[in-house]
Structure formats: structure tokens, C-alpha cells
Amino acid sequence: MTAAEFKNPATTAILEAAKARRSIYTLKAESPIADEAIEQLVQHAVLHTPSSFNTQTGRIVLLLKEEHQKLWDIAISALEGLVAAGHVPKETFETQTKPKLNAFRNGYGTVLFFVDYESLAPIKEKFAIYADNFNPWALESNAMAQYLIWTALESEGFGANLQHYSPLIDEQVAKQWNLPASWKLDAQLVFGTPTAPAGEKAFSPLENRFKVFGK
């Protein structure tokens, strides 16, 4: 890729941060920044992530330290229930699934991403022609928040990885933190101080994934 010269140095910084964002699974329960800084980072994403028609359907819960550990205890318990019911082989759980869940638990925190689909009812009625599109658009907005927070956390020295344990843990999560029934869990971003770098990343040829016209 040919290097270009940007007018604003911040553009290069943004692109470098995007490049540095990776899935990192080897984490420890330490933080390179204050909890207040993490909270402010997440709040910024809540306020400034775009959404279609400014519907602002994203809902986020930040879990730190012991509260973060409670989440992954819930996940471990839920998977143990599947083992007991015969839906997951015990050996697979003990040798693969449980070590992976404990690795998540070893992190410093988790960001829970929800979508409040019920809040879309008025705008679906107002713009009925787009009614079927609002739910997918809400998920797209949620994905942007996930990417923004993930990238920002890595820029501050964290490692992170994105998980999807819904609907398995939804009921217990809502009960544990007394969350509104209209909040539907979409993803869990685990973060902590990395203990090992991300591995090499392979890229499909750019010419197969990008085209430009009018240049």
C-alpha cells in the first residue's frame, strides 16, 4: 500500500490505532489506566457512536474486577449445565471450554453490549416503510460501539477479545445486575493487560476486496 500524506496528523493516529487492534486472549487482571479513565472511554462511545435516525438504541454495562469475574462465573455455570444435560461432552468442556472461560475470567473487565429493540417502536411506526430495517441498523450501530471501545482500549495498553455467549447467559446477566427486560445482550468485550502479543495476521489480497473508480 502506497503511503499517502494526510492533512490532519490525527488521521494517521486513528488508522494506526485501527491497525493495532487485535484479538488478544492471554490477559491478566491489571489495568494500565485508572478505572475512571476506562469509564470515561466507554461513556464517550455511548454518547458518540452513530445510530440510524439518531435512535440511540445501544446500551452498555461496564464490569470491572469482581463484577467482571461474576460474569464469567455465570458463563461457566451455564456451560456446566449443558454438560449435565448431555448437550456438551464433559471432556470437551474440561479440556477446551472451561480453560477458555477461565482465561476470560482472568481479565480485568468486560464491556457488555446490549440493544434496546423496544425503544424502536415509535420510529418504526413513524417511518413504516423502513420498519424492517431498524433492527439490523441497531445491530450495526452496536457493532460500531464495540469496535470503537475495543480500539480505544487497545490504544490505552489493554488487550481485548470479543465474545458472544448469548442467549445462554442472558437471563442470569439481567438478574445479576437488575437490567431492564428490553435490553437484549449482543456481545461481551473482555479486556485486561496482555501477557503475550497477538499472533501473525494473514490478509486476503487487497485487490480482491477493494475497488476504486473515478481516480
PDB file of all heavy atoms in Angstrom, residues 153-178:
ATOM      1  N   LEU A 153      -9.504   0.918  23.902  1.00  0.00           N
ATOM      2  CA  LEU A 153      -8.882   0.175  25.000  1.00  0.00           C
ATOM      3  C   LEU A 153      -7.487  -0.311  24.606  1.00  0.00           C
ATOM      4  O   LEU A 153      -6.538  -0.208  25.396  1.00  0.00           O
ATOM      5  CB  LEU A 153      -9.756  -1.019  25.395  1.00  0.00           C
ATOM      6  CG  LEU A 153     -11.022  -0.702  26.202  1.00  0.00           C
ATOM      7  CD1 LEU A 153     -11.886  -1.951  26.338  1.00  0.00           C
ATOM      8  CD2 LEU A 153     -10.671  -0.152  27.575  1.00  0.00           C
ATOM      9  N   GLU A 154      -7.353  -0.831  23.408  1.00  0.00           N
ATOM     10  CA  GLU A 154      -6.027  -1.291  22.962  1.00  0.00           C
ATOM     11  C   GLU A 154      -5.059  -0.120  22.851  1.00  0.00           C
ATOM     12  O   GLU A 154      -3.877  -0.254  23.158  1.00  0.00           O
ATOM     13  CB  GLU A 154      -6.149  -2.039  21.636  1.00  0.00           C
ATOM     14  CG  GLU A 154      -6.921  -3.352  21.773  1.00  0.00           C
ATOM     15  CD  GLU A 154      -6.243  -4.533  21.117  1.00  0.00           C
ATOM     16  OE1 GLU A 154      -5.058  -4.435  20.774  1.00  0.00           O
ATOM     17  OE2 GLU A 154      -6.908  -5.557  20.948  1.00  0.00           O
ATOM     18  N   SER A 155      -5.570   1.045  22.442  1.00  0.00           N
ATOM     19  CA  SER A 155      -4.716   2.226  22.352  1.00  0.00           C
ATOM     20  C   SER A 155      -4.188   2.641  23.720  1.00  0.00           C
ATOM     21  O   SER A 155      -3.106   3.232  23.828  1.00  0.00           O
ATOM     22  CB  SER A 155      -5.507   3.382  21.725  1.00  0.00           C
ATOM     23  OG  SER A 155      -4.712   4.527  21.569  1.00  0.00           O
ATOM     24  N   GLU A 156      -4.925   2.305  24.786  1.00  0.00           N
ATOM     25  CA  GLU A 156      -4.521   2.639  26.150  1.00  0.00           C
ATOM     26  C   GLU A 156      -3.678   1.548  26.816  1.00  0.00           C
ATOM     27  O   GLU A 156      -3.367   1.635  27.993  1.00  0.00           O
ATOM     28  CB  GLU A 156      -5.757   2.940  26.999  1.00  0.00           C
ATOM     29  CG  GLU A 156      -6.400   4.281  26.685  1.00  0.00           C
ATOM     30  CD  GLU A 156      -5.455   5.438  26.946  1.00  0.00           C
ATOM     31  OE1 GLU A 156      -4.963   5.557  28.082  1.00  0.00           O
ATOM     32  OE2 GLU A 156      -5.203   6.222  26.007  1.00  0.00           O
ATOM     33  N   GLY A 157      -3.348   0.505  26.052  1.00  0.00           N
ATOM     34  CA  GLY A 157      -2.462  -0.522  26.588  1.00  0.00           C
ATOM     35  C   GLY A 157      -3.123  -1.825  26.984  1.00  0.00           C
ATOM     36  O   GLY A 157      -2.458  -2.733  27.499  1.00  0.00           O
ATOM     37  N   PHE A 158      -4.443  -1.931  26.763  1.00  0.00           N
ATOM     38  CA  PHE A 158      -5.133  -3.181  27.059  1.00  0.00           C
ATOM     39  C   PHE A 158      -5.022  -4.148  25.888  1.00  0.00           C
ATOM     40  O   PHE A 158      -4.742  -3.764  24.754  1.00  0.00           O
ATOM     41  CB  PHE A 158      -6.628  -2.917  27.305  1.00  0.00           C
ATOM     42  CG  PHE A 158      -6.944  -2.294  28.630  1.00  0.00           C
ATOM     43  CD1 PHE A 158      -7.325  -0.961  28.705  1.00  0.00           C
ATOM     44  CD2 PHE A 158      -6.886  -3.035  29.796  1.00  0.00           C
ATOM     45  CE1 PHE A 158      -7.641  -0.382  29.931  1.00  0.00           C
ATOM     46  CE2 PHE A 158      -7.198  -2.472  31.028  1.00  0.00           C
ATOM     47  CZ  PHE A 158      -7.575  -1.143  31.097  1.00  0.00           C
ATOM     48  N   GLY A 159      -5.275  -5.414  26.175  1.00  0.00           N
ATOM     49  CA  GLY A 159      -5.589  -6.400  25.157  1.00  0.00           C
ATOM     50  C   GLY A 159      -7.058  -6.727  25.321  1.00  0.00           C
ATOM     51  O   GLY A 159      -7.613  -6.598  26.421  1.00  0.00           O
ATOM     52  N   ALA A 160      -7.712  -7.160  24.264  1.00  0.00           N
ATOM     53  CA  ALA A 160      -9.151  -7.431  24.353  1.00  0.00           C
ATOM     54  C   ALA A 160      -9.562  -8.477  23.328  1.00  0.00           C
ATOM     55  O   ALA A 160      -8.870  -8.703  22.327  1.00  0.00           O
ATOM     56  CB  ALA A 160      -9.949  -6.148  24.156  1.00  0.00           C
ATOM     57  N   ASN A 161     -10.696  -9.108  23.594  1.00  0.00           N
ATOM     58  CA  ASN A 161     -11.287 -10.034  22.634  1.00  0.00           C
ATOM     59  C   ASN A 161     -12.797  -9.991  22.787  1.00  0.00           C
ATOM     60  O   ASN A 161     -13.321  -9.755  23.875  1.00  0.00           O
ATOM     61  CB  ASN A 161     -10.749 -11.456  22.799  1.00  0.00           C
ATOM     62  CG  ASN A 161     -11.001 -12.036  24.170  1.00  0.00           C
ATOM     63  OD1 ASN A 161     -12.092 -12.547  24.447  1.00  0.00           O
ATOM     64  ND2 ASN A 161     -10.003 -11.962  25.060  1.00  0.00           N
ATOM     65  N   LEU A 162     -13.504 -10.202  21.682  1.00  0.00           N
ATOM     66  CA  LEU A 162     -14.966 -10.083  21.657  1.00  0.00           C
ATOM     67  C   LEU A 162     -15.607 -11.465  21.673  1.00  0.00           C
ATOM     68  O   LEU A 162     -15.239 -12.331  20.875  1.00  0.00           O
ATOM     69  CB  LEU A 162     -15.406  -9.315  20.413  1.00  0.00           C
ATOM     70  CG  LEU A 162     -16.859  -8.852  20.383  1.00  0.00           C
ATOM     71  CD1 LEU A 162     -17.115  -7.787  21.437  1.00  0.00           C
ATOM     72  CD2 LEU A 162     -17.223  -8.312  19.001  1.00  0.00           C
ATOM     73  N   GLN A 163     -16.571 -11.645  22.584  1.00  0.00           N
ATOM     74  CA  GLN A 163     -17.236 -12.930  22.745  1.00  0.00           C
ATOM     75  C   GLN A 163     -18.744 -12.807  22.572  1.00  0.00           C
ATOM     76  O   GLN A 163     -19.303 -11.717  22.695  1.00  0.00           O
ATOM     77  CB  GLN A 163     -16.917 -13.514  24.130  1.00  0.00           C
ATOM     78  CG  GLN A 163     -15.447 -13.742  24.374  1.00  0.00           C
ATOM     79  CD  GLN A 163     -14.829 -14.681  23.356  1.00  0.00           C
ATOM     80  OE1 GLN A 163     -15.437 -15.707  22.998  1.00  0.00           O
ATOM     81  NE2 GLN A 163     -13.642 -14.346  22.878  1.00  0.00           N
ATOM     82  N   HIS A 164     -19.381 -13.954  22.295  1.00  0.00           N
ATOM     83  CA  HIS A 164     -20.833 -13.981  22.098  1.00  0.00           C
ATOM     84  C   HIS A 164     -21.401 -15.218  22.805  1.00  0.00           C
ATOM     85  O   HIS A 164     -21.410 -16.301  22.233  1.00  0.00           O
ATOM     86  CB  HIS A 164     -21.170 -14.004  20.607  1.00  0.00           C
ATOM     87  CG  HIS A 164     -20.654 -12.825  19.861  1.00  0.00           C
ATOM     88  ND1 HIS A 164     -19.378 -12.778  19.339  1.00  0.00           N
ATOM     89  CD2 HIS A 164     -21.233 -11.631  19.573  1.00  0.00           C
ATOM     90  CE1 HIS A 164     -19.194 -11.605  18.743  1.00  0.00           C
ATOM     91  NE2 HIS A 164     -20.296 -10.899  18.870  1.00  0.00           N
ATOM     92  N   TYR A 165     -21.839 -15.040  24.045  1.00  0.00           N
ATOM     93  CA  TYR A 165     -22.396 -16.143  24.821  1.00  0.00           C
ATOM     94  C   TYR A 165     -23.902 -15.985  25.040  1.00  0.00           C
ATOM     95  O   TYR A 165     -24.462 -16.582  25.947  1.00  0.00           O
ATOM     96  CB  TYR A 165     -21.644 -16.300  26.141  1.00  0.00           C
ATOM     97  CG  TYR A 165     -20.339 -17.036  25.954  1.00  0.00           C
ATOM     98  CD1 TYR A 165     -19.183 -16.356  25.591  1.00  0.00           C
ATOM     99  CD2 TYR A 165     -20.274 -18.413  26.083  1.00  0.00           C
ATOM    100  CE1 TYR A 165     -17.989 -17.030  25.382  1.00  0.00           C
ATOM    101  CE2 TYR A 165     -19.087 -19.099  25.875  1.00  0.00           C
ATOM    102  CZ  TYR A 165     -17.949 -18.401  25.524  1.00  0.00           C
ATOM    103  OH  TYR A 165     -16.760 -19.069  25.312  1.00  0.00           O
ATOM    104  N   SER A 166     -24.531 -15.188  24.193  1.00  0.00           N
ATOM    105  CA  SER A 166     -25.987 -15.075  24.229  1.00  0.00           C
ATOM    106  C   SER A 166     -26.575 -16.170  23.345  1.00  0.00           C
ATOM    107  O   SER A 166     -25.961 -16.557  22.342  1.00  0.00           O
ATOM    108  CB  SER A 166     -26.423 -13.712  23.693  1.00  0.00           C
ATOM    109  OG  SER A 166     -25.940 -12.689  24.527  1.00  0.00           O
ATOM    110  N   PRO A 167     -27.760 -16.658  23.648  1.00  0.00           N
ATOM    111  CA  PRO A 167     -28.629 -16.279  24.782  1.00  0.00           C
ATOM    112  C   PRO A 167     -28.366 -17.078  26.057  1.00  0.00           C
ATOM    113  O   PRO A 167     -29.118 -16.958  27.030  1.00  0.00           O
ATOM    114  CB  PRO A 167     -30.023 -16.599  24.239  1.00  0.00           C
ATOM    115  CG  PRO A 167     -29.800 -17.809  23.374  1.00  0.00           C
ATOM    116  CD  PRO A 167     -28.433 -17.605  22.734  1.00  0.00           C
ATOM    117  N   LEU A 168     -27.289 -17.863  26.061  1.00  0.00           N
ATOM    118  CA  LEU A 168     -27.031 -18.788  27.162  1.00  0.00           C
ATOM    119  C   LEU A 168     -26.967 -18.094  28.518  1.00  0.00           C
ATOM    120  O   LEU A 168     -27.457 -18.625  29.523  1.00  0.00           O
ATOM    121  CB  LEU A 168     -25.725 -19.543  26.894  1.00  0.00           C
ATOM    122  CG  LEU A 168     -25.341 -20.663  27.857  1.00  0.00           C
ATOM    123  CD1 LEU A 168     -26.384 -21.775  27.830  1.00  0.00           C
ATOM    124  CD2 LEU A 168     -23.962 -21.204  27.507  1.00  0.00           C
ATOM    125  N   ILE A 169     -26.382 -16.899  28.555  1.00  0.00           N
ATOM    126  CA  ILE A 169     -26.169 -16.225  29.839  1.00  0.00           C
ATOM    127  C   ILE A 169     -27.131 -15.065  30.077  1.00  0.00           C
ATOM    128  O   ILE A 169     -27.084 -14.425  31.133  1.00  0.00           O
ATOM    129  CB  ILE A 169     -24.717 -15.702  29.952  1.00  0.00           C
ATOM    130  CG1 ILE A 169     -24.440 -14.648  28.863  1.00  0.00           C
ATOM    131  CG2 ILE A 169     -23.720 -16.849  29.870  1.00  0.00           C
ATOM    132  CD1 ILE A 169     -23.084 -13.968  29.003  1.00  0.00           C
ATOM    133  N   ASP A 170     -28.025 -14.803  29.127  1.00  0.00           N
ATOM    134  CA  ASP A 170     -28.840 -13.577  29.174  1.00  0.00           C
ATOM    135  C   ASP A 170     -29.669 -13.439  30.443  1.00  0.00           C
ATOM    136  O   ASP A 170     -29.679 -12.379  31.084  1.00  0.00           O
ATOM    137  CB  ASP A 170     -29.756 -13.515  27.952  1.00  0.00           C
ATOM    138  CG  ASP A 170     -28.997 -13.328  26.659  1.00  0.00           C
ATOM    139  OD1 ASP A 170     -27.762 -13.480  26.668  1.00  0.00           O
ATOM    140  OD2 ASP A 170     -29.623 -13.024  25.631  1.00  0.00           O
ATOM    141  N   GLU A 171     -30.385 -14.486  30.793  1.00  0.00           N
ATOM    142  CA  GLU A 171     -31.297 -14.411  31.939  1.00  0.00           C
ATOM    143  C   GLU A 171     -30.546 -14.125  33.231  1.00  0.00           C
ATOM    144  O   GLU A 171     -30.946 -13.262  34.027  1.00  0.00           O
ATOM    145  CB  GLU A 171     -32.096 -15.709  32.058  1.00  0.00           C
ATOM    146  CG  GLU A 171     -33.136 -15.686  33.170  1.00  0.00           C
ATOM    147  CD  GLU A 171     -33.958 -16.965  33.239  1.00  0.00           C
ATOM    148  OE1 GLU A 171     -33.890 -17.776  32.288  1.00  0.00           O
ATOM    149  OE2 GLU A 171     -34.678 -17.150  34.247  1.00  0.00           O
ATOM    150  N   GLN A 172     -29.439 -14.823  33.458  1.00  0.00           N
ATOM    151  CA  GLN A 172     -28.673 -14.628  34.688  1.00  0.00           C
ATOM    152  C   GLN A 172     -27.985 -13.266  34.717  1.00  0.00           C
ATOM    153  O   GLN A 172     -27.848 -12.661  35.786  1.00  0.00           O
ATOM    154  CB  GLN A 172     -27.651 -15.748  34.853  1.00  0.00           C
ATOM    155  CG  GLN A 172     -28.264 -17.074  35.267  1.00  0.00           C
ATOM    156  CD  GLN A 172     -29.053 -16.961  36.562  1.00  0.00           C
ATOM    157  OE1 GLN A 172     -28.577 -16.425  37.554  1.00  0.00           O
ATOM    158  NE2 GLN A 172     -30.283 -17.455  36.537  1.00  0.00           N
ATOM    159  N   VAL A 173     -27.554 -12.776  33.559  1.00  0.00           N
ATOM    160  CA  VAL A 173     -26.930 -11.450  33.494  1.00  0.00           C
ATOM    161  C   VAL A 173     -27.949 -10.381  33.880  1.00  0.00           C
ATOM    162  O   VAL A 173     -27.664  -9.485  34.692  1.00  0.00           O
ATOM    163  CB  VAL A 173     -26.364 -11.184  32.080  1.00  0.00           C
ATOM    164  CG1 VAL A 173     -26.045  -9.703  31.892  1.00  0.00           C
ATOM    165  CG2 VAL A 173     -25.117 -12.032  31.849  1.00  0.00           C
ATOM    166  N   ALA A 174     -29.144 -10.461  33.312  1.00  0.00           N
ATOM    167  CA  ALA A 174     -30.189  -9.482  33.623  1.00  0.00           C
ATOM    168  C   ALA A 174     -30.549  -9.522  35.104  1.00  0.00           C
ATOM    169  O   ALA A 174     -30.752  -8.475  35.737  1.00  0.00           O
ATOM    170  CB  ALA A 174     -31.416  -9.750  32.765  1.00  0.00           C
ATOM    171  N   LYS A 175     -30.593 -10.719  35.654  1.00  0.00           N
ATOM    172  CA  LYS A 175     -30.936 -10.874  37.071  1.00  0.00           C
ATOM    173  C   LYS A 175     -29.816 -10.366  37.974  1.00  0.00           C
ATOM    174  O   LYS A 175     -30.069  -9.656  38.960  1.00  0.00           O
ATOM    175  CB  LYS A 175     -31.215 -12.351  37.362  1.00  0.00           C
ATOM    176  CG  LYS A 175     -31.627 -12.645  38.794  1.00  0.00           C
ATOM    177  CD  LYS A 175     -31.904 -14.128  38.985  1.00  0.00           C
ATOM    178  CE  LYS A 175     -32.286 -14.450  40.416  1.00  0.00           C
ATOM    179  NZ  LYS A 175     -32.543 -15.901  40.616  1.00  0.00           N
ATOM    180  N   GLN A 176     -28.575 -10.702  37.644  1.00  0.00           N
ATOM    181  CA  GLN A 176     -27.437 -10.327  38.489  1.00  0.00           C
ATOM    182  C   GLN A 176     -27.289  -8.816  38.615  1.00  0.00           C
ATOM    183  O   GLN A 176     -27.011  -8.291  39.703  1.00  0.00           O
ATOM    184  CB  GLN A 176     -26.150 -10.925  37.913  1.00  0.00           C
ATOM    185  CG  GLN A 176     -24.890 -10.541  38.661  1.00  0.00           C
ATOM    186  CD  GLN A 176     -24.830 -11.110  40.063  1.00  0.00           C
ATOM    187  OE1 GLN A 176     -25.105 -12.280  40.277  1.00  0.00           O
ATOM    188  NE2 GLN A 176     -24.462 -10.283  41.039  1.00  0.00           N
ATOM    189  N   TRP A 177     -27.497  -8.106  37.508  1.00  0.00           N
ATOM    190  CA  TRP A 177     -27.279  -6.658  37.537  1.00  0.00           C
ATOM    191  C   TRP A 177     -28.576  -5.865  37.390  1.00  0.00           C
ATOM    192  O   TRP A 177     -28.522  -4.658  37.129  1.00  0.00           O
ATOM    193  CB  TRP A 177     -26.238  -6.280  36.478  1.00  0.00           C
ATOM    194  CG  TRP A 177     -24.876  -6.759  36.898  1.00  0.00           C
ATOM    195  CD1 TRP A 177     -24.064  -6.219  37.850  1.00  0.00           C
ATOM    196  CD2 TRP A 177     -24.183  -7.919  36.411  1.00  0.00           C
ATOM    197  NE1 TRP A 177     -22.920  -6.953  37.991  1.00  0.00           N
ATOM    198  CE2 TRP A 177     -22.948  -8.008  37.119  1.00  0.00           C
ATOM    199  CE3 TRP A 177     -24.464  -8.888  35.443  1.00  0.00           C
ATOM    200  CZ2 TRP A 177     -22.023  -9.016  36.889  1.00  0.00           C
ATOM    201  CZ3 TRP A 177     -23.548  -9.900  35.221  1.00  0.00           C
ATOM    202  CH2 TRP A 177     -22.346  -9.962  35.933  1.00  0.00           C
ATOM    203  N   ASN A 178     -29.705  -6.535  37.560  1.00  0.00           N
ATOM    204  CA  ASN A 178     -31.016  -5.877  37.581  1.00  0.00           C
ATOM    205  C   ASN A 178     -31.218  -4.973  36.357  1.00  0.00           C
ATOM    206  O   ASN A 178     -31.518  -3.782  36.470  1.00  0.00           O
ATOM    207  CB  ASN A 178     -31.173  -5.052  38.875  1.00  0.00           C
ATOM    208  CG  ASN A 178     -32.598  -4.614  39.111  1.00  0.00           C
ATOM    209  OD1 ASN A 178     -33.546  -5.273  38.676  1.00  0.00           O
ATOM    210  ND2 ASN A 178     -32.767  -3.488  39.778  1.00  0.00           N
TER     211      ASN A 178
END
